[in-house]
Amino acid sequence: LDMLAAVDERDAVTQREQAYVRARLLMATSWRGRDERWEEAIRIGEAHGFGDILASRVENASWMAYRTRGDLAESIRLADEAFDAYAAAGAHEGACQVLRGIGFSAFEIGALDRGADLARRCVEYARSVHLKFHEELALTDLAGEAFARADDGRCHAVLDELTSNTDFRADLYR
């Protein structure tokens, strides 16, 4: 009887794993919240409680708030919510990406202080979870912010923190 329970448990785990892979593939091949594949992925996430899949929905809402309505404040609020959800789910790469994404959007429209705050949060978080690539990208964003302000000293100080060439922009700021 215990062996049957173990087999049932194994099958349930396998089904959950298959559902997760399916949801991830659907998201990867969808048009960012605008098609049936995305919606199916979200339904799978809801059914199985996949926190990172559900965080993607909030991240998408953040992106849409900025890109379609130009509402940076709402976009940042939603990005913070998505960041918290990604971090809680242990989806550290998603957490870093959402901070960098909205931070970069802030830089695009000249909201340098807000963009720098988000980039610093990304650096701090990336360091805490040992994601060197995202740390370096966010540092490059901070170098760009200093460059935009014509603060050569701070720009070069940030560039000196880089340990690899993760982004061509670093060469432009030097």
Side-chain angles (χ1 to χ4, degrees):
L1 199 56
D2 288 337
M3 289 184 71
L4 290 175
V7 169
D8 288 343
E9 183 178 326
R10 186 203 67 219
D11 288 346
V13 168
T14 301
Q15 288 171 1
R16 182 175 166 77
E17 291 168 347
Q18 288 173 349
Y20 183 79
V21 169
R22 179 170 177 74
R24 275 275 146 228
L25 288 172
L26 287 165
M27 291 188 105
T29 60
S30 75
W31 187 250
R32 194 141 177 114
R34 298 183 188 163
D35 64 22
E36 293 169 13
R37 287 176 292 193
W38 179 272
E39 294 304 320
E40 183 180 348
I42 295 300
R43 283 191 299 275
I44 293 169
E46 289 170 340
H48 292 276
F50 297 141
D52 60 327
I53 300 290
L54 300 175
S56 296
R57 176 175 50 192
V58 180
E59 179 184 11
N60 188 56
S62 169
W63 185 82
M64 295 298 284
Y66 175 71
R67 292 291 177 202
T68 63
R69 297 189 309 276
D71 190 343
L72 184 64
E74 177 67 2
S75 185
I76 291 171
R77 185 190 72 72
L78 289 165
D80 283 338
E81 186 180 325
F83 168 80
D84 291 341
Y86 278 127
H92 305 305
E93 190 158 336
C96 287
Q97 287 172 343
V98 75
L99 289 177
R100 277 204 66 247
I102 191 57
F104 199 81
S105 294
F107 286 139
E108 283 180 329
I109 62 168
L112 299 181
D113 292 335
R114 196 61 183 119
D117 290 342
L118 290 158
R120 280 190 287 276
R121 279 182 60 201
C122 184
V123 168
E124 182 180 308
Y125 184 76
R127 284 178 177 164
S128 76
V129 295
H130 311 290
L131 286 177
K132 189 68 173 166
F133 179 72
H134 289 287
E135 173 190 344
E136 300 246 332
L137 287 175
L139 282 169
T140 304
D141 293 345
L142 289 169
E145 176 259 340
F147 184 84
R149 295 179 192 267
D151 187 341
D152 288 341
R154 190 163 53 87
C155 181
H156 286 280
V158 172
L159 290 171
D160 288 344
E161 290 186 58
L162 299 174
T163 59
S164 64
N165 287 325
T166 56
D167 194 313
F168 72 92
R169 294 174 297 153
D171 293 332
L172 297 174
Y173 301 145
R174 288 186 172 99

